[in-house]
Amino acid sequence: MATIVVDGVEFEVDEGQNLLHACLSQGLELPYFCWHPSLGSVGACRQCAVIQYADADDTRGRLTMACMTPAKDGTRISIQTETAKQFRASVIEWLMENHPHDCPVCEEGGECHLQDMTVMTGHTQRRYRGRKRTFENQYLGPFLNHEMNRCITCYRCVRFYNDYAGGTDLQVFGSRDRMYFGRTTDGVLENEFSGNLIEVCPTGVFTDKPFSESYTRKWDLSSAPSICAGCAVGCNTFVSERYGRLKRVHNRYHGELNGYFLCDRGRFGAGFVNSTDRIEHVGERVEDDFFDVLDVEVGIAKLAEMIRQGDVVGIGSPRASLETNVALKTLVGEAQFCTGMSSAEESLVDLIIQTQRATSADIPSLSDVESADAVLILGEDVLNTAPRVALALRQTVRNRALNLAGEAGIPQWQDAGVSSHAQGRLNPLFIASVLPSGIDDIAADLLHDVPLNLADCGFAIAACIGEATGSEPDFVRKAAAALRSAQNPLIVSGTSTRTRAIVEAAGAVVAALESAGKVPRLLLVAPEANSFGSGLIGGGLDMNTALQRVASGSTKTLIVAENDIFRRAERERVEQALCTVENLVVLDSLDTPTASLAGLVFPAATFAESTGTFVNYETRAQRFYCVFEPRHEIAPSWRWLAQAATDAGRDDLGWTHVDDVLEAVAASPNMAGVRAVAPDAGYLGSSLCKTPRETPRFSGRTAMNANVNIHEPKTSVDEETPLSFSMEGLNRDQPSALLPFVWAPGWNSNQSVFKFQQEVGGAAAGGDPGVRLLASGSIGTMPARSASVRSDRGGVDTGFRLIPVQAIFGSDELSSRSPPVVERSSAAFMIFSPMDAERLGATQGMGVSCSVLGATFAVTVDAAMKSGYVGVSVGFTGAEGELPDGLIGLAVDPNYRPTPNPHDRVIARG
Amino acid sequence: MSEVSQLIEALSVEEVDAIEAEITHLPNRESAAIEAMRIVQEKRGWISDESLRAIARLLGMSTEALDSIATFYNLIFRKPVGRHVLMLCDSVSCYVMGCDKVRTAVCDQLGVEMGETTPDGRFTLLPIVCLGACDRAPVMTIDEELITHLSADSIPDILSGFD
Amino acid sequence: MVTLSTKPLTERVEAVGGVVDMAAYENAGGYEAARQAITKSEPEAVQGLVKDADLRGRGGAGFPTGVKWGFVPKGDAAGPGHKYLVCNADEMEPGTFKDRYLMEMDPHLLIEGMLIAAFAIGADKAYIFLRGEYHESFKQLYSALADASEKGYVGQNVFGSDFSVDLVIHRSGGRYICGEETALLNALEGKRGQPRTKPPFPPASGAWGRPTIVNNVETLCNVPGILKNGVDWFRDLGIGNDSGTKLYGVSGRVKRPGLWELPIGTTIREIIEEHAGGMQDGYKLRGILPGGASTDFLTIEHLDLPMDYGSIQAAGSRMGTGTMILMDDSICPVAISINLQHFFAQESCGFCTPCREGLPWLEQLLIDIEEGRGQPGDLELLDGNAAFIGAPGNTFCLHATGAMEPLLSALRCFREDFEAHIESGGCPYRERGH
Ligand SMILES: Cc1cc2nc3c(=O)[nH]c(=O)nc-3n(C[C@H](O)[C@H](O)[C@H](O)COP(=O)(O)O)c2cc1C
Ligand code: SF4
Ligand code: FES
């Protein structure tokens, strides 16, 4: 700690931290642009100028950039001195020379950091008389608008995009006062984290394209804290709405998890909430694909009758909340309940939980991931299955630069100095994967092979950590040596290749490191937002058994909650079951192949219209809150189930509030912590109000429905949650789990987030939200290698073995029904080795048809693919479910026309 | 394989060799970015999008990253230039010695403004900062030749030497 | 007793009457100093000599060269990898034409200086960062380097010793800012030539993150003489407090513009009147930019100042590169300020706000004043902005500081001209027919 004096007042701050960071952490107001807590300082904008005094006798001092100056014991500065204020106003004046005065039509208006800083510095009078420079804008793809005239050259975009996120196609061009931030030519920004530019850019250069298509000012958005439904990382988000439509998703800072950044699947994948495919009414099927709307009471009565008749099997879902899953499980009973994961996936998730229990270390949070100093990725393509993990791994390897800088006496926040000194030296990351991945550029070494061989490689590394024989392959030896000599080794793996042995191998590496006296971390991912919640709840039936049971005719009623079973098992199995069962009841938000076979459908609320809990890969239970009240008859699935059960005379589902369900959830094994995730509905903040979803400047509440009814409706009272559908109350001083949006006086942009942190970049005020359900410490034993059947590889004549390949845009069910994600994703594809492609007579871009999957796939050729195997885009048309085992015949489809690639669209510049 | 042949199509063997030779003096390939562009420009006059892509691939960097470098430097041309590049010094010593009049004479003679290329593709006119021949001001270079002690009157003669 | 040279930088050129080739250079005792140092001496001893000789950087900042060399970590402290010597031959400061002369006329002198410097700091890689437009310098250096390599003076086992150094010419892509030593390092690494933050300082972490010394051409050319003739000789060459000779240049309306090697500390008057032959007939001297475009104007009252670091600084300017530009009475101070500010605005790297946005605004204001659109208050606007942009530390690097030196001093020295423009709504000089 160091004591610094700011305008005569003493503050205790972190020694060596830069003064801007230190001042903001103390709640002092000091404008800035180019500095970012995650990106460090570069001293480009000169906005954070303060006067620094040599000592107590120095009365003149000299101007210095706070972000570039370390806090030392006795440092004396002034923010308020006239010269400093004038200089900061001058910086704004310089920036404003060319900045367009288009705030009224700018999507950033009202949450613009430049607006805030302009007001803060007090620059009001324009003295520049020249013309403004203008630029042409570029088409950057479906996610982002580009309006270069608004640029203030703070460099944050390229520093985030290139240095932080590893992108290469967004750059700075030109020099002097003609700096251009964009691409060489129009085109889709490739990086998977491009959406963060919206929040990183302090003005309106990069704005949210889907949002601007039906735009609302920030102050007119109602928002609630939420959890991303895109994958098992569980990034914290702010979800915002207006007029009952989801408008946008922003990052909600979480110190241990997502920090300041989301991936593009998460940010742009929520559009399915507004889909025209939404199920909005209770319906009864009268003939194929044709449903009659039922009165709610009638629908519930019908379901109640089925429940009364008994013989009900329930299939839950890893994409549904804990609440819904527990409700269904309670309704049908453990023995009749299936988690809704595929059998293969469920056994893998069980294996992961068993493995995690057996390790001595906690499951790493993403900030733990970033502090690792050697990493092995075994068989998991995290960039496509848990994208935010990949972004964290980029920081893990970059930590080498921070260490080198530390040794050279360069402050860690001195971003440019750190990288010019490090010259690209990275912490070691080893990737053993089926195919090249988007983070290969940061890998120390790569190995590409089929899943079982990757598992072998993992076991070999484990053995080599114990004792090297000297005859190991290079990759194995190097990886083992790096992990062994690391302080904080990390192993990353997961379920996506559906290979038990890979997870077992990851466990073996961890066990070997533990035997070698290390405290290794193990990060294992599963695909969905609540995969781990489902795993912890468990069920008496696995998917294949459940389907078999149903298909055998012994089940009268099958209730499926928020699940498309066709994605969970092979088509035939599913069809057999769903067509056999007498009553198929589906609760879901979107029309799916499963829903279309149902006799009775209930409209389920999405994460945006309901309140519930997801459990992420860390087994962190996190609450998402209803952002807006669902339209029509849409309601949370658990409520439909509870009502019908109560109607049927059951007394154990008499729940009216989420809190009631949560009490039931908390009673289940492993779930004790869920009540503590967030306050109960009755919680009132320090203002003795509920936490408002609307901003203090929310406007037009009385007018927004005037086209329908000129009477001002009473705002509905939210009895479910500690949040209100109104503007009264404070967004500040709330438990972090309740934070509905960031805003603080003078700070209308998302930069106000520092007002909601314990210190800049530290834990959220009041602690980072969420409760880990699995206690740390080694419980049970590390699963040993199970016997796996080694099957022969395939070939053109015999048929191929299929290996699942994941895609960030397209493999996930819900996000791939969001329009911008659809536009960004490719057609279903298969990846061949060059030799197989040649033998098959297929070249890049041609189509191959597969009769087993009943679909055609675009051909991709990759030299890393092993002959006899074919990578298949899972989750895409034709490959939605589990891929079939065995050798699968493929043939070139002469009629295949690749769907026109939306990326190639020529869009007028403007 | 096809990549190499594509590369060769966009860059000549001599160019690739010269760039590779440059790389041997440097700790990594990207460090040769500026020299590589100079080498190609010497042969072709400018750096086309195609050349840019080929050089980027040769150096193992993205086209955008190379373009970012290209557009920073005054002497890397990302637009086609004429057969001769005339760079007229407009810095302070030449200014004191009357380079404005020389510029007017050059522009009048060629019928284009600074920054432009004559319609017949003979000359591209560019301003240049101090050429380090201030004792012989005003000065200019045409291609690699330094021409000193300019005056408005001497321009027609000088230009006629370049076709 | 041998009479020692008084013009160690230019005597051979004068003797030969043209480019000094390998034979001529060796005839004049060339490469002896390097041979002696590398085969018989120790790096620390060489550093000591240069430090004792009080050689100060001739690139503009005047930092003591031996002291700078001493910052390079030695032995294990340097860690594994190369150490670099970089010769700053980017000469782009308007009005400066001294390094070009040395490289074109006596390239072996620079090569020898670099050999000794590389030996002194333990560099195994040396680069000449050469201005891209200096085609003749490139040719001369290239062939001299080929000759030197052939003789085994550069490359592996220099002079048969176990010291090896690679010497490579890097031609710049062309930007003034690349002369700034940290921007130069980025440019050398093939990146955008933007300045770097300090720390790290180049001697600790420079090119490719390794210890690096950047020295100006003229600085390095002084090194062989010091080793050959000794510390005392070098110290005695200077007239005042500084040591050695200096290449002084004059451009503008003088009778004999040119470049001369003179004892450091020669007065401005002597340089202008004796060596440059005084002003051309019909022109009167009004202002002097003593050491390039980025130094403050001096006026005729400063003519008797010695051109050394301390004296010029005391008068409120900088010796800079020592090549002065004279402003005569036909030149409008506003117009010359436009010319200067245009240069600095164009050559701004664009990284930091005050320089990127401030300089073009000031140029615009000056154009307004020159063209009769000046308004009351414009001079105060110029004063205020220039003071903010010009204070060292307010911008990221010293480019903008350098840009404001001639402007702030012009506003001070020629204020009445600026005022007259605004009052009369135009440029009085143009009306006078200039
Ligand atoms: C904007 C700017 C441009 C510069 N240009 C040059 C240059 O062209 N040549 C040079 O030798 N030094 C130049 N310098 C000075 C260098 O940064 C550095 O101080 C010098 O090369 C060190 O060499 P010395 O110690 O031998 O003088 C420049 C400095 C600045 C701030
Ligand atoms: S002062 Fe700033 S913009 Fe100007 S050259 Fe230096 S870093 Fe670049
Ligand atoms: S925030 Fe300090 S210079 Fe930009």
Side-chain angles (χ1 to χ4, degrees), chain A residues 20 31-36 41-49 65-68 154:
Chain A
L20 174 60
Y32 62 87
F33 289 112
C34 63
W35 171 83
H36 183 287
S41 310
V42 288
C45 72
R46 318 310 274 180
Q47 185 62 71
C48 62
M65 298 309 129
C67 75
M68 298 293 277
C154 69

PDB file of all heavy atoms in Angstrom, chain A residues 20 31-36 41-49 65-68 154, ligand 3:
ATOM      1  N   LEU A  20      -4.328   6.781 -12.391  1.00  0.00           N
ATOM      2  CA  LEU A  20      -5.717   6.828 -12.868  1.00  0.00           C
ATOM      3  C   LEU A  20      -6.522   5.701 -12.216  1.00  0.00           C
ATOM      4  O   LEU A  20      -7.591   5.926 -11.647  1.00  0.00           O
ATOM      5  CB  LEU A  20      -5.758   6.708 -14.399  1.00  0.00           C
ATOM      6  CG  LEU A  20      -7.149   6.610 -15.017  1.00  0.00           C
ATOM      7  CD1 LEU A  20      -7.990   7.829 -14.690  1.00  0.00           C
ATOM      8  CD2 LEU A  20      -7.057   6.440 -16.542  1.00  0.00           C
ATOM      9  N   PRO A  31     -11.362  12.082 -15.936  1.00  0.00           N
ATOM     10  CA  PRO A  31     -11.704  11.592 -17.273  1.00  0.00           C
ATOM     11  C   PRO A  31     -10.559  10.840 -17.960  1.00  0.00           C
ATOM     12  O   PRO A  31      -9.382  11.074 -17.640  1.00  0.00           O
ATOM     13  CB  PRO A  31     -12.045  12.859 -18.055  1.00  0.00           C
ATOM     14  CG  PRO A  31     -11.670  14.012 -17.220  1.00  0.00           C
ATOM     15  CD  PRO A  31     -11.297  13.548 -15.854  1.00  0.00           C
ATOM     16  N   TYR A  32     -10.907   9.977 -18.879  1.00  0.00           N
ATOM     17  CA  TYR A  32      -9.914   9.175 -19.594  1.00  0.00           C
ATOM     18  C   TYR A  32     -10.578   8.593 -20.829  1.00  0.00           C
ATOM     19  O   TYR A  32     -11.817   8.575 -20.911  1.00  0.00           O
ATOM     20  CB  TYR A  32      -9.411   8.019 -18.709  1.00  0.00           C
ATOM     21  CG  TYR A  32     -10.514   7.073 -18.323  1.00  0.00           C
ATOM     22  CD1 TYR A  32     -10.865   6.016 -19.153  1.00  0.00           C
ATOM     23  CD2 TYR A  32     -11.252   7.259 -17.161  1.00  0.00           C
ATOM     24  CE1 TYR A  32     -11.915   5.179 -18.833  1.00  0.00           C
ATOM     25  CE2 TYR A  32     -12.307   6.427 -16.836  1.00  0.00           C
ATOM     26  CZ  TYR A  32     -12.639   5.394 -17.674  1.00  0.00           C
ATOM     27  OH  TYR A  32     -13.704   4.557 -17.369  1.00  0.00           O
ATOM     28  N   PHE A  33      -9.788   8.125 -21.769  1.00  0.00           N
ATOM     29  CA  PHE A  33     -10.325   7.392 -22.917  1.00  0.00           C
ATOM     30  C   PHE A  33      -9.537   6.136 -23.237  1.00  0.00           C
ATOM     31  O   PHE A  33     -10.081   5.058 -23.381  1.00  0.00           O
ATOM     32  CB  PHE A  33     -10.360   8.270 -24.186  1.00  0.00           C
ATOM     33  CG  PHE A  33     -11.391   9.340 -24.144  1.00  0.00           C
ATOM     34  CD1 PHE A  33     -11.020  10.673 -24.071  1.00  0.00           C
ATOM     35  CD2 PHE A  33     -12.734   9.023 -24.167  1.00  0.00           C
ATOM     36  CE1 PHE A  33     -11.975  11.667 -24.022  1.00  0.00           C
ATOM     37  CE2 PHE A  33     -13.701  10.015 -24.120  1.00  0.00           C
ATOM     38  CZ  PHE A  33     -13.316  11.341 -24.049  1.00  0.00           C
ATOM     39  N   CYS A  34      -8.224   6.296 -23.418  1.00  0.00           N
ATOM     40  CA  CYS A  34      -7.485   5.175 -23.989  1.00  0.00           C
ATOM     41  C   CYS A  34      -7.211   4.079 -22.976  1.00  0.00           C
ATOM     42  O   CYS A  34      -7.075   2.916 -23.324  1.00  0.00           O
ATOM     43  CB  CYS A  34      -6.198   5.652 -24.656  1.00  0.00           C
ATOM     44  SG  CYS A  34      -5.000   6.409 -23.551  1.00  0.00           S
ATOM     45  N   TRP A  35      -7.136   4.451 -21.718  1.00  0.00           N
ATOM     46  CA  TRP A  35      -6.927   3.438 -20.680  1.00  0.00           C
ATOM     47  C   TRP A  35      -8.165   2.562 -20.557  1.00  0.00           C
ATOM     48  O   TRP A  35      -9.297   3.032 -20.722  1.00  0.00           O
ATOM     49  CB  TRP A  35      -6.657   4.151 -19.354  1.00  0.00           C
ATOM     50  CG  TRP A  35      -6.643   3.242 -18.172  1.00  0.00           C
ATOM     51  CD1 TRP A  35      -5.613   2.472 -17.728  1.00  0.00           C
ATOM     52  CD2 TRP A  35      -7.740   3.001 -17.276  1.00  0.00           C
ATOM     53  NE1 TRP A  35      -5.989   1.766 -16.616  1.00  0.00           N
ATOM     54  CE2 TRP A  35      -7.289   2.071 -16.323  1.00  0.00           C
ATOM     55  CE3 TRP A  35      -9.048   3.468 -17.202  1.00  0.00           C
ATOM     56  CZ2 TRP A  35      -8.102   1.609 -15.288  1.00  0.00           C
ATOM     57  CZ3 TRP A  35      -9.863   3.003 -16.179  1.00  0.00           C
ATOM     58  CH2 TRP A  35      -9.393   2.088 -15.230  1.00  0.00           C
ATOM     59  N   HIS A  36      -7.934   1.286 -20.317  1.00  0.00           N
ATOM     60  CA  HIS A  36      -9.041   0.367 -20.021  1.00  0.00           C
ATOM     61  C   HIS A  36      -8.516  -0.597 -18.967  1.00  0.00           C
ATOM     62  O   HIS A  36      -7.395  -1.075 -19.086  1.00  0.00           O
ATOM     63  CB  HIS A  36      -9.457  -0.378 -21.296  1.00  0.00           C
ATOM     64  CG  HIS A  36     -10.637  -1.281 -21.104  1.00  0.00           C
ATOM     65  ND1 HIS A  36     -10.556  -2.474 -20.424  1.00  0.00           N
ATOM     66  CD2 HIS A  36     -11.925  -1.148 -21.496  1.00  0.00           C
ATOM     67  CE1 HIS A  36     -11.751  -3.049 -20.411  1.00  0.00           C
ATOM     68  NE2 HIS A  36     -12.592  -2.270 -21.056  1.00  0.00           N
ATOM     69  N   SER A  41      -2.575   0.800 -19.849  1.00  0.00           N
ATOM     70  CA  SER A  41      -2.364   2.193 -20.250  1.00  0.00           C
ATOM     71  C   SER A  41      -1.451   2.271 -21.461  1.00  0.00           C
ATOM     72  O   SER A  41      -0.504   1.508 -21.576  1.00  0.00           O
ATOM     73  CB  SER A  41      -1.670   2.958 -19.120  1.00  0.00           C
ATOM     74  OG  SER A  41      -2.317   2.764 -17.894  1.00  0.00           O
ATOM     75  N   VAL A  42      -1.751   3.219 -22.348  1.00  0.00           N
ATOM     76  CA  VAL A  42      -0.812   3.504 -23.427  1.00  0.00           C
ATOM     77  C   VAL A  42      -0.517   4.989 -23.566  1.00  0.00           C
ATOM     78  O   VAL A  42       0.391   5.380 -24.297  1.00  0.00           O
ATOM     79  CB  VAL A  42      -1.288   2.968 -24.798  1.00  0.00           C
ATOM     80  CG1 VAL A  42      -1.193   1.459 -24.840  1.00  0.00           C
ATOM     81  CG2 VAL A  42      -2.694   3.436 -25.103  1.00  0.00           C
ATOM     82  N   GLY A  43      -1.273   5.812 -22.892  1.00  0.00           N
ATOM     83  CA  GLY A  43      -0.969   7.246 -22.901  1.00  0.00           C
ATOM     84  C   GLY A  43      -1.245   7.927 -24.221  1.00  0.00           C
ATOM     85  O   GLY A  43      -0.563   8.879 -24.576  1.00  0.00           O
ATOM     86  N   ALA A  44      -2.254   7.475 -24.955  1.00  0.00           N
ATOM     87  CA  ALA A  44      -2.504   8.056 -26.271  1.00  0.00           C
ATOM     88  C   ALA A  44      -3.414   9.276 -26.214  1.00  0.00           C
ATOM     89  O   ALA A  44      -3.201  10.236 -26.939  1.00  0.00           O
ATOM     90  CB  ALA A  44      -3.108   7.009 -27.206  1.00  0.00           C
ATOM     91  N   CYS A  45      -4.434   9.231 -25.360  1.00  0.00           N
ATOM     92  CA  CYS A  45      -5.446  10.283 -25.468  1.00  0.00           C
ATOM     93  C   CYS A  45      -5.063  11.537 -24.710  1.00  0.00           C
ATOM     94  O   CYS A  45      -5.529  12.611 -25.039  1.00  0.00           O
ATOM     95  CB  CYS A  45      -6.797   9.765 -25.010  1.00  0.00           C
ATOM     96  SG  CYS A  45      -6.927   9.531 -23.224  1.00  0.00           S
ATOM     97  N   ARG A  46      -4.250  11.437 -23.689  1.00  0.00           N
ATOM     98  CA  ARG A  46      -3.795  12.553 -22.856  1.00  0.00           C
ATOM     99  C   ARG A  46      -4.943  13.185 -22.078  1.00  0.00           C
ATOM    100  O   ARG A  46      -4.870  14.344 -21.672  1.00  0.00           O
ATOM    101  CB  ARG A  46      -3.051  13.627 -23.664  1.00  0.00           C
ATOM    102  CG  ARG A  46      -2.081  13.110 -24.691  1.00  0.00           C
ATOM    103  CD  ARG A  46      -1.120  12.103 -24.184  1.00  0.00           C
ATOM    104  NE  ARG A  46       0.100  12.623 -23.568  1.00  0.00           N
ATOM    105  CZ  ARG A  46       1.058  11.840 -23.060  1.00  0.00           C
ATOM    106  NH1 ARG A  46       0.930  10.517 -23.118  1.00  0.00           N
ATOM    107  NH2 ARG A  46       2.115  12.365 -22.485  1.00  0.00           N
ATOM    108  N   GLN A  47      -6.019  12.428 -21.869  1.00  0.00           N
ATOM    109  CA  GLN A  47      -7.188  12.983 -21.206  1.00  0.00           C
ATOM    110  C   GLN A  47      -7.068  12.950 -19.688  1.00  0.00           C
ATOM    111  O   GLN A  47      -7.705  13.715 -18.993  1.00  0.00           O
ATOM    112  CB  GLN A  47      -8.432  12.197 -21.647  1.00  0.00           C
ATOM    113  CG  GLN A  47      -9.751  12.732 -21.141  1.00  0.00           C
ATOM    114  CD  GLN A  47     -10.037  14.130 -21.645  1.00  0.00           C
ATOM    115  OE1 GLN A  47     -10.323  14.337 -22.802  1.00  0.00           O
ATOM    116  NE2 GLN A  47      -9.931  15.114 -20.769  1.00  0.00           N
ATOM    117  N   CYS A  48      -6.249  12.061 -19.167  1.00  0.00           N
ATOM    118  CA  CYS A  48      -6.242  11.849 -17.719  1.00  0.00           C
ATOM    119  C   CYS A  48      -5.194  12.713 -17.030  1.00  0.00           C
ATOM    120  O   CYS A  48      -4.682  12.364 -15.978  1.00  0.00           O
ATOM    121  CB  CYS A  48      -5.976  10.377 -17.416  1.00  0.00           C
ATOM    122  SG  CYS A  48      -4.364   9.849 -18.018  1.00  0.00           S
ATOM    123  N   ALA A  49      -4.899  13.882 -17.628  1.00  0.00           N
ATOM    124  CA  ALA A  49      -3.828  14.723 -17.098  1.00  0.00           C
ATOM    125  C   ALA A  49      -4.139  15.225 -15.693  1.00  0.00           C
ATOM    126  O   ALA A  49      -5.260  15.632 -15.405  1.00  0.00           O
ATOM    127  CB  ALA A  49      -3.602  15.893 -18.044  1.00  0.00           C
ATOM    128  N   MET A  65       0.416  12.397 -17.093  1.00  0.00           N
ATOM    129  CA  MET A  65      -0.737  11.555 -17.389  1.00  0.00           C
ATOM    130  C   MET A  65      -0.907  10.557 -16.245  1.00  0.00           C
ATOM    131  O   MET A  65      -0.003   9.750 -15.987  1.00  0.00           O
ATOM    132  CB  MET A  65      -0.547  10.802 -18.706  1.00  0.00           C
ATOM    133  CG  MET A  65      -0.420  11.712 -19.913  1.00  0.00           C
ATOM    134  SD  MET A  65      -1.731  12.939 -20.036  1.00  0.00           S
ATOM    135  CE  MET A  65      -0.741  14.436 -20.261  1.00  0.00           C
ATOM    136  N   ALA A  66      -2.054  10.626 -15.595  1.00  0.00           N
ATOM    137  CA  ALA A  66      -2.278   9.760 -14.435  1.00  0.00           C
ATOM    138  C   ALA A  66      -2.134   8.294 -14.804  1.00  0.00           C
ATOM    139  O   ALA A  66      -1.576   7.503 -14.052  1.00  0.00           O
ATOM    140  CB  ALA A  66      -3.656  10.031 -13.841  1.00  0.00           C
ATOM    141  N   CYS A  67      -2.591   7.927 -16.002  1.00  0.00           N
ATOM    142  CA  CYS A  67      -2.583   6.512 -16.361  1.00  0.00           C
ATOM    143  C   CYS A  67      -1.179   5.994 -16.604  1.00  0.00           C
ATOM    144  O   CYS A  67      -0.970   4.796 -16.674  1.00  0.00           O
ATOM    145  CB  CYS A  67      -3.455   6.254 -17.590  1.00  0.00           C
ATOM    146  SG  CYS A  67      -2.706   6.802 -19.136  1.00  0.00           S
ATOM    147  N   MET A  68      -0.222   6.916 -16.792  1.00  0.00           N
ATOM    148  CA  MET A  68       1.140   6.495 -17.118  1.00  0.00           C
ATOM    149  C   MET A  68       2.091   6.690 -15.935  1.00  0.00           C
ATOM    150  O   MET A  68       3.294   6.549 -16.079  1.00  0.00           O
ATOM    151  CB  MET A  68       1.661   7.293 -18.319  1.00  0.00           C
ATOM    152  CG  MET A  68       0.863   7.092 -19.588  1.00  0.00           C
ATOM    153  SD  MET A  68       1.000   5.443 -20.255  1.00  0.00           S
ATOM    154  CE  MET A  68       2.540   5.585 -21.152  1.00  0.00           C
ATOM    155  N   CYS A 154      -8.605   6.528 -29.916  1.00  0.00           N
ATOM    156  CA  CYS A 154      -8.112   6.121 -28.592  1.00  0.00           C
ATOM    157  C   CYS A 154      -7.397   4.780 -28.670  1.00  0.00           C
ATOM    158  O   CYS A 154      -6.792   4.351 -27.691  1.00  0.00           O
ATOM    159  CB  CYS A 154      -9.260   6.030 -27.603  1.00  0.00           C
ATOM    160  SG  CYS A 154     -10.372   4.654 -27.951  1.00  0.00           S
TER     161      CYS A 154
HETATM  162  S1  FES D   3      -6.333   7.552 -20.278  1.00  0.00           S
HETATM  163 FE1  FES D   3      -4.364   8.392 -19.727  1.00  0.00          FE
HETATM  164  S2  FES D   3      -3.614   9.081 -21.650  1.00  0.00           S
HETATM  165 FE2  FES D   3      -5.506   8.115 -22.238  1.00  0.00          FE
END
